[in-house]
Amino acid sequence: PNPANNEISFSNDANAVVSAVEMADLNGRVVKTANINATEGTVSISDLATGIYMMTITTDQGVAVKKIV
């Protein structure tokens, strides 16, 4: 769900293997990274301050960037 409270779930329809997820604040500072190696999963954001972040999802088929509130 967006806005998110404690964790973010992700999945994809292309069966792309997600290798890494990176959370950055609006200043571009990376505040959280996670190595995944799965087609779906969750990332805990309970340790991050309330705000807007950019989530970069790296897969074997490319990179996607999503805004997280």
Side-chain angles (χ1 to χ4, degrees):
N2 202 3
N5 290 327
N6 294 322
E7 62 183 27
I8 298 171
S9 300
F10 59 89
S11 63
N12 64 75
D13 295 332
N15 288 328
V17 177
V18 176
S19 58
V21 174
E22 192 174 83
M23 302 287 291
D25 62 13
L26 293 181
N27 293 324
R29 293 183 298 239
V30 175
V31 294
K32 187 172 194 75
T33 58
N35 294 325
I36 306 295
N37 287 331
T39 56
E40 59 186 44
T42 60
V43 176
S44 174
I45 58 165
S46 59
D47 57 335
L48 298 178
T50 302
I52 299 174
Y53 295 91
M54 301 305 287
M55 182 170 75
T56 304
I57 304 166
T58 305
T59 70
D60 58 347
Q61 298 180 9
V63 176
V65 178
K66 301 290 182 185
K67 183 171 93 171
I68 304 298
V69 179

